[in-house]
């Protein structure tokens, strides 16, 4: 669980960096930046450590999860950040334990116990209270960002739940490299066809420094730690 805490801290700082960059690039370009650089860090690490790769029969599932999470989730994430503040978007993202608990129960991966429900409920009530307390200071249309972020959280909840058995049949790094590589490749293809990737050419030194941190810290390191946590604990505990 300590691993998940460090991962979440890196994810929170990545939200602030995304908010800084969102004015100069669209959501697809930012996702390309994060996962393209992230994959360039994860793949050599996996090869160097000679990790176990997913079995051939698991590749379609691993790739589909990578496409939905590193592609769809983070496009929605970046869109949400454009409507609201990084802090409020992160608070909306903090409803992840509730979504993960419900998805895990519906899919039969975890029992829905009273103790677990009470613990997650306390955590989520704190998030709701924090959002409500700062509502008057929210930028115009912030509710759109928080609603989009809530939809994105469902993507991450399914990723958390469906990832664990696939990670256990291979390895955390092998699973991550295949999924992140699939998402990054799809984003680069879409970005090339739509012209989104061209926005990165206008970045100056400060934007590239922020972008490299986004890829290395918020992309590679944060999600290496996240999948390592999923390998060791239940999805709901990791999300909480």
């Amino acid at each position: 669980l300590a691993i998940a805490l460090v991962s979440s801290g890196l994810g929170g700082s990545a939200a602030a960096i995304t908010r800084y960059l969102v004015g100069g690039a669209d959501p697809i370009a930012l996702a390309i930046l994060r996962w393209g650089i992230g994959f360039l860090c994860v793949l050599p690490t996996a090869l160097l450590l000679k990790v176990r790769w997913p079995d051939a029969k698991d590749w379609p599932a691993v790739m589909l999860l990578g496409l939905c999470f590193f592609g769809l989730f983070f496009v929605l994430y970046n869109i949400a950040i454009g409507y609201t503040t990084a802090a409020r978007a992160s608070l909306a993202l903090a409803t992840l334990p509730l979504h993960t608990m419900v998805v895990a129960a519906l899919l039969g991966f975890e029992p829905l116990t009273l103790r677990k429900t009470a613990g997650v409920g306390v955590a989520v009530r704190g998030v709701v209270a924090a959002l409500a307390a700062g509502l008057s200071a929210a930028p115009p249309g912030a509710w759109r960002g928080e609603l989009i972020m809530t939809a994105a959280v469902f993507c991450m909840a399914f990723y958390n739940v469906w990832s664990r058995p696939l990670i256990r049949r291979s390895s955390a790094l092998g699973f991550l490299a295949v999924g992140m590589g699939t998402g990054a490749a799809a984003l680069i293809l879409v970005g090339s066809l739509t012209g989104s990737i061209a926005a990165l050419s206008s970045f100056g030194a400060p934007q590239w420094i922020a972008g490299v941190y986004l890829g290395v810290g918020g992309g590679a390191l944060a999600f290496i730690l996240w999948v390592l946590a999923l390998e060791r604990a239940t999805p709901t505990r990791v999300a909480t």
Side-chain angles (χ1 to χ4, degrees):
L1 293 181
I3 296 173
L5 285 172
V6 177
S7 174
S8 297
L10 289 167
S13 64
I17 295 295
T18 302
R19 180 65 182 173
Y20 166 68
L21 292 173
V22 77
D26 67 19
I28 293 175
L30 291 179
I32 290 170
L33 191 66
R34 187 169 187 172
W35 303 122
I37 294 174
F39 179 66
L40 291 177
C41 298
V42 169
L43 181 61
T45 304
L47 293 172
L48 183 65
L49 296 177
K50 298 180 180 179
V51 300
R52 182 179 175 185
W53 298 93
D55 294 335
K57 63 183 177 61
D58 285 337
W59 272 67
V62 175
M63 293 174 71
L64 183 59
L65 277 178
L67 188 63
C68 291
F69 183 61
F70 296 105
L72 178 61
F73 172 84
F74 277 94
V75 170
L76 292 174
Y77 175 95
N78 293 337
I79 292 171
I81 291 283
Y83 281 110
T84 187
T85 63
R88 291 177 64 87
S90 295
L91 284 171
L93 184 58
T95 60
L96 177 63
L98 176 60
H99 290 82
T100 301
M101 180 182 69
V102 171
V103 169
L106 289 174
L107 296 178
F109 281 82
E110 293 183 46
L112 191 62
T113 64
L114 180 61
R115 181 179 179 183
K116 184 189 298 182
T117 303
V120 171
V122 169
V124 172
R125 278 197 298 272
V127 173
V128 172
L131 279 170
L135 191 61
S136 61
W143 64 271
R144 295 185 181 90
E146 286 138 27
L147 190 61
I148 294 168
M149 185 64 81
T150 301
V153 168
F154 266 112
C155 293
M156 190 167 186
F158 278 99
Y159 179 84
N160 287 343
V161 174
W162 278 331
S163 291
R164 199 175 187 215
L166 294 168
I167 291 171
R168 287 186 160 185
R169 289 201 294 269
S170 55
S171 65
L173 268 178
F175 168 84
L176 181 64
V178 174
M180 188 182 290
T182 302
L187 287 165
I188 290 170
L189 176 62
V190 172
S192 299
L193 294 174
T194 61
S196 294
I197 200 169
L200 299 178
S201 63
S202 65
F203 276 19
Q207 287 78 23
W208 276 111
I209 291 171
V212 169
Y213 173 80
L214 186 65
V216 176
L221 183 55
F223 281 88
I224 287 173
L225 295 174
W226 191 260
V227 293
L228 286 173
L230 286 173
E231 187 178 37
R232 291 162 169 78
T234 64
T236 300
R237 286 176 66 83
V238 173
T240 302

